[in-house]
Amino acid sequence: MKYFIVTYGCQMNVHESEKIAGILEKLGYESGKSREDADIIVFNTCAIREGAEDRVLGNIGNLKKLKKKNKNLIIAVVGCMTQKQQTAEYLLRTFPFIDIVIGTFNLSNLGYYIDAVKKGRQLELWEEGDIDETLPYKRTSGENAWVNIMQGCNNFCSYCIVPYVRGREKSRKEENILNEIKEIVKENKYKKITLLGQNVNSYGKDLNPAIPFSKLLHDICAIEGDFKLSFMTSHPKDLTDDVIDAIASEDKIEKFIHLPAQSGNNRILKMMNRNYTREKYLEIIKKIREKIPNCRITSDFIVGFPTETEEEFNDTYSLVEEVRYDSIFAFMYSPREGTVASKMEGQVPQKIKNERVNKLLKLEKRLQKEYKN
Ligand code: SAH
Ligand code: SF4
Ligand code: F3S
């Protein structure tokens, strides 16, 4: 019995697919080489932009042929896209050959649903619950070991679907994280450990007693062993001095920060509900450059947010020029149903979004050439 997992989306999903693999191996499945070769195919989906969802839909459609050839093939669709009730129902309606549709909160019970498929199709979407710490991971990312430190997000940036499909911020207990990392170090296979969370800087605020993220970093670095530590993603509003100091002072921490700015214009930042200004963002960058020489800095940007004017986009452009990032991701704003921004008037035409994203990417190329010289 073989499994094949198709993963879309962020590192969080990549890591969760390692959990899916762990669950499937516990059930006696082995890793297969292709979809054709598999007895169970799992699509771990992403809902961040329309493009991500379209890719999933196209690829699910293609599975029909496989199901025809092999009636016993089990097809499961899980992840952020399926946590939305409407999408989950749409999938079952449109693709009658899908066997299991479950959301992010049910993932730990995938084994149960596989068993239940014998009795009929499975659709279940739970409300958020606790993280199941007992499930094994089958680590598949080479020399890097992902470690989840928290789930969910409380920020509700007005464009973003994540808080709706991942629930509220919930930090793992520090002790459990440290134990997991000790195990990883003991295995002696991983040179790099990457901590994952939508907003790692707010780690520990919900614990009792609260623990600052910088303490977690220092405590991990105190674990004996030869490894490099990094983390993502940092939200500028919560990147405090103690975290910058930890990166500067701990040899084990990589000199690298992914610090998404999203926009360089204060009116747009406000509408995005990001809770910082361009000036505050630049101040943080200055501090990082002062305290951590040679720190690599990367960022994400969204162009064509509702009502964004050409001048406001130019503020984003000039921010990218000013900060001289090591690299950036630039995305065209994609309205997500249920979010505040999707209901805003003044949606920007696709053609203009295209132009702006191309301008940013061209700028990035130019800047990268300049560094190399
Ligand atoms: N928690 C992280 C990022 C999560 S999503 C953070 O706050 O930075 C990764 C990136 O996708 C975001 O940084 C943003 O640039 C982009 N993104 C999120 N929602 C989007 C949307 N509706 N349209 C376009 N890009 C989006
Ligand atoms: Fe989305 Fe904002 Fe949360 Fe990041 S911080 S996951 S962009 S709501
Ligand atoms: Fe996508 Fe979910 Fe990650 S929406 S970006 S897979 S948290």
Side-chain angles (χ1 to χ4, degrees):
M1 300 275 275
K2 299 257 171 70
Y3 68 85
F4 192 76
I5 304 170
V6 186
T7 308
Y8 300 85
C10 62
Q11 282 83 0
M12 201 79 77
N13 255 18
V14 172
H15 187 38
E16 245 150 42
S17 286
E18 297 182 336
K19 184 182 268 185
I20 297 171
I23 294 172
L24 293 173
E25 297 206 353
K26 230 171 132 185
L27 290 177
Y29 288 92
E30 288 166 33
S31 161
K33 285 196 185 59
S34 69
R35 291 164 215 220
E36 286 71 24
D37 181 42
D39 301 285
I40 178 164
I41 300 175
V42 183
F43 272 60
N44 191 10
T45 63
C46 170
I48 202 80
R49 281 169 293 273
E50 200 181 337
E53 294 200 333
D54 288 346
R55 267 196 301 282
V56 171
L57 293 176
N59 283 316
I60 292 178
N62 290 335
L63 294 180
K64 193 174 172 184
K65 298 185 282 265
L66 293 180
K67 188 80 175 195
K68 256 196 185 146
K69 263 195 244 156
N70 175 6
K71 286 271 175 308
N72 293 324
L73 172 66
I74 296 176
I75 296 175
V77 188
V78 307
C80 290
M81 204 172 152
T82 46
Q83 185 58 44
K84 298 184 292 178
Q85 182 90 31
Q86 269 185 340
T87 313
E89 284 166 3
Y90 169 82
L91 283 171
L92 280 188
R93 249 193 345 264
T94 317
F95 304 109
F97 50 87
I98 297 178
D99 298 290
I100 302 171
V101 177
I102 56 174
T104 52
F105 303 128
N106 308 60
L107 186 62
S108 304
N109 280 355
L110 179 63
Y112 164 81
Y113 295 108
I114 291 174
D115 231 23
V117 160
K118 290 165 201 141
K119 300 192 198 91
R121 301 178 83 193
Q122 296 294 314
L123 164 67
E124 204 161 351
L125 301 177
W126 290 352
E127 303 288 314
E128 54 182 305
D130 287 331
I131 310 174
D132 189 337
E133 301 253 352
T134 60
L135 291 168
Y137 285 102
K138 167 130 197 307
R139 299 191 188 276
T140 53
S141 294
E143 292 188 336
N144 176 59
W146 307 107
V147 175
N148 204 39
I149 62 168
M150 61 200 299
Q151 64 174 14
C153 182
N154 290 353
N155 290 321
F156 287 93
C157 302
S158 63
Y159 50 80
C160 185
I161 193 73
V162 171
Y164 302 90
V165 293
R166 292 277 173 171
R168 295 297 71 72
E169 273 171 19
K170 213 168 280 170
S171 304
R172 282 177 72 195
K173 285 203 190 95
E174 193 194 26
E175 190 193 342
N176 292 347
I177 297 171
L178 294 176
N179 284 339
E180 184 178 341
I181 292 179
K182 280 177 199 157
E183 288 299 316
I184 290 170
V185 172
K186 229 194 273 166
E187 273 191 69
N188 219 357
K189 282 203 308 222
Y190 306 99
K191 293 207 165 88
K192 214 181 133 182
I193 293 168
T194 308
L195 309 179
L196 294 177
Q198 291 300 345
N199 178 11
V200 288
N201 305 307
S202 59
Y203 170 80
K205 283 186 182 161
D206 57 322
L207 293 173
N208 190 13
I211 297 175
F213 180 51
S214 58
K215 175 173 174 351
L216 176 69
L217 289 176
H218 288 300
D219 289 347
I220 293 173
C221 291
I223 295 174
E224 244 175 77
D226 184 19
F227 62 91
K228 281 277 181 198
L229 184 66
S230 62
F231 51 84
M232 63 194 342
T233 298
S234 300
H235 193 303
K237 82 176 165 65
D238 299 313
L239 187 67
T240 44
D241 289 2
D242 54 326
V243 174
I244 299 177
D245 290 337
I247 304 170
S249 66
E250 293 282 5
D251 288 341
K252 280 182 175 145
I253 301 183
E254 277 196 54
K255 310 306 168 206
F256 164 66
I257 304 182
H258 181 58
L259 195 65
Q262 311 299 0
S263 167
N265 175 269
N266 285 341
R267 190 185 72 89
I268 296 293
L269 283 170
K270 192 148 196 194
M271 281 181 82
M272 288 177 161
N273 194 28
R274 290 290 288 180
N275 274 301
Y276 53 84
T277 57
R278 177 193 180 98
E279 293 71 32
K280 166 93 194 294
Y281 184 87
L282 284 171
E283 225 174 82
I284 301 171
I285 296 287
K286 192 166 157 233
K287 241 184 241 167
I288 297 172
R289 298 261 193 246
E290 275 167 16
K291 291 191 175 176
I292 320 169
N294 300 324
C295 187
R296 284 187 300 124
I297 303 177
T298 60
S299 185
D300 296 344
F301 290 92
I302 296 177
V303 303
F305 186 83
T307 73
E308 185 188 62
T309 64
E310 200 62 28
E311 287 88 66
E312 287 167 335
F313 165 72
N314 286 340
D315 287 341
T316 295
Y317 192 92
S318 70
L319 183 79
V320 174
E321 254 182 331
E322 193 171 337
V323 175
R324 306 182 68 88
Y325 291 104
D326 290 84
S327 70
I328 59 162
F329 293 97
F331 303 109
M332 290 182 271
Y333 168 71
S334 168
R336 307 281 67 210
E337 210 179 332
T339 60
V340 171
S342 70
K343 296 181 207 90
M344 289 176 182
E345 290 188 11
Q347 299 284 328
V348 173
Q350 189 59 33
K351 186 170 161 268
I352 295 183
K353 289 186 202 170
N354 266 322
E355 280 169 19
R356 291 182 187 166
V357 91
N358 287 335
K359 271 189 202 163
L360 269 195
L361 294 175
K362 228 168 126 186
L363 169 65
E364 201 217 355
K365 267 202 195 125
R366 193 191 88 207
L367 291 174
Q368 281 190 340
K369 245 194 224 146
E370 285 177 19
Y371 305 144
K372 282 196 196 113
N373 296 336

